[in-house]
Structures are given as structure tokens and as C-alpha cells.
Amino acid sequence: MSSQQQPTDEPVYADRTYRSSMAVVTGVLLLALTAWLCGDAVVRGSGSTPWIALAVALCAAPLIVAFTLRPAVFANDDRLRVRNPFRLIELPWGAVDAVRARYSAEVLAGGKTYQLWSVPVSLRERKKATRPQGGRFGGLMGRGTAAPVAQGPSAKPAARPRAAADQVVDELRDLAERGAARPGAQGGVHVRWAYEVVVPTVAGLVLLVVLLAAG
């Protein structure tokens, strides 16, 4: 009686998704504004105005989507997928050299640096998170009185708050360290251009130039 072969790879769980909610809200509002302005020009305009409005909408809408709604980062146990405005980058954890957040969140692989557009770094938020915490009431010259610290063997130091981008980078580093040796996390970096964004944008731009040149 033959024994059934067991799979050697560990299970891969659903992707974690990281994106900026503020960018999504901004994108929706900009798309609504573009639709309203261009739609009004198409309905009420005369001559070449409706065609110019359509060309502007064809050029502007993909760019708005590219820079607001499209950026996202998907991470699971095997790989990281980075969806930037004009490219989709797939990085197996075995190919990732480092994940860092300086002035922007970045992943390093194969001697190249790829930015994580959907993980914005706020220097103000980082500075606020690392600022020493004083007491509830400030003293003279802005110097506060520190709150009493619990004493005893059971006392634990308070966890220092982290900026949102730094928290995301910490999670991605942890996934990279745990997944680097997985059989399913090996391979090279794959980059694909987002032609669904590039093609309509270029088409709208060409149409706009032709209409403006024609007068």
C-alpha cells in the first residue's frame, strides 16, 4: 500500500494589503471633479470645446487613477507585489535585500531600489512619534514634569509609538526575514509596465495636441 506524498511547501496565506486611504479619497474627489467639469463642457460647449474636454478627460483620468487609486502593496509569505503608478513589481522574498523607510518607503533587490508609493513617509509624524513624552502639565519655560513610572518586577517599559510608514516597513521586514528561505519565495524580480494607464494617457495627450494645433 503506497503512502500519499505530502506537500513540502508551507501554506501561503492571503495577501496583506497596504494603501493610503487619504490618496483613495483624494482620487475619488478628483475624478468626480474632472467628470463634472469635462461633462459640463461636452454638454454646453460648442465647436471643438466638447472634443477638447473629452481629450482632457481621457488624459487626466488615467493619471488621477495612477497616482491615487492604483498604488498598493500586497505581501504574503512568499513574495511582495508593488503596484506603483506606472509599473507592477513582483519581488520574491528570496530576492529582497532590504526594506527601509527614509524620506520614502523603499525595497532594495538586485542592486535596484523600488519605491513603495502607497506607503507615504511623513517626517512630521515620525518626529512627533519619536518626541520624548512629558507629563500632563507643562512647567515653566515649557519643561514638563514627567509622569511617575511604576516600580517593581512586573513593571514594563511603555512601548514607544511608531509612525505609520515605519510600522508597515517593520511588518514587511519581518515577512522578508521569515520568507527568505521558503521554496516558494525564490526567483528573480519581475517588472511589468502598466499599459492600461500609459496607453489611454498618451492617446488623450496626442488627441489634445492635435485639437489645439488645429485650432
Side-chain angles (χ1 to χ4, degrees):
M1 185 174 182
S2 60
S3 59
Q4 188 175 8
Q5 185 178 2
Q6 298 295 327
T8 56
D9 291 351
E10 299 176 12
V12 177
Y13 298 100
D15 287 357
R16 301 184 188 184
T17 304
Y18 303 93
R19 66 194 317 163
S20 172
S21 57
M22 182 61 67
V24 172
V25 172
T26 301
V28 171
L29 293 177
L30 288 176
L31 285 175
L33 180 61
T34 302
W36 176 52
L37 294 176
C38 294
D40 183 73
V42 169
V43 173
R44 300 187 181 186
S46 59
S48 62
T49 300
W51 294 105
I52 292 177
L54 288 175
V56 170
L58 182 60
C59 182
L63 289 177
I64 293 173
V65 171
F67 286 97
T68 59
L69 304 180
R70 176 180 167 82
V73 171
F74 307 95
N76 60 26
D77 292 341
D78 281 344
R79 64 195 66 248
L80 178 71
R81 287 191 302 122
V82 181
R83 197 170 67 190
N84 282 343
F86 300 109
R87 293 192 300 176
L88 177 65
I89 305 112
E90 186 172 330
L91 307 103
W93 289 125
V96 173
D97 299 323
V99 184
R100 67 188 183 189
R102 295 181 177 177
Y103 296 104
S104 62
E106 302 168 340
V107 56
L108 283 67
K112 295 184 179 180
T113 301
Y114 305 96
Q115 289 189 338
L116 309 181
W117 279 74
S118 67
V119 186
V121 175
S122 172
L123 298 181
R124 181 179 180 183
E125 183 183 3
R126 179 182 289 170
K127 183 178 180 180
K128 182 179 179 181
T130 57
R131 185 181 303 161
Q133 300 296 319
R136 183 177 178 183
F137 302 101
L140 296 176
M141 303 298 291
R143 290 177 292 183
T145 304
V149 180
Q151 302 293 331
S154 61
K156 296 182 179 179
R160 175 172 291 184
R162 300 274 287 167
D166 294 331
Q167 293 179 15
V168 171
V169 167
D170 287 345
E171 292 181 13
L172 294 179
R173 282 176 182 162
D174 182 63
L175 285 172
E177 291 174 359
R178 290 191 286 109
R182 290 174 58 93
Q186 308 308 311
V189 178
H190 298 281
V191 180
R192 182 182 71 83
W193 286 96
Y195 294 105
E196 65 274 16
V197 174
V198 175
V199 171
T201 300
V202 173
L205 181 60
V206 171
L207 178 60
L208 181 61
V209 170
V210 170
L211 290 173
L212 292 178

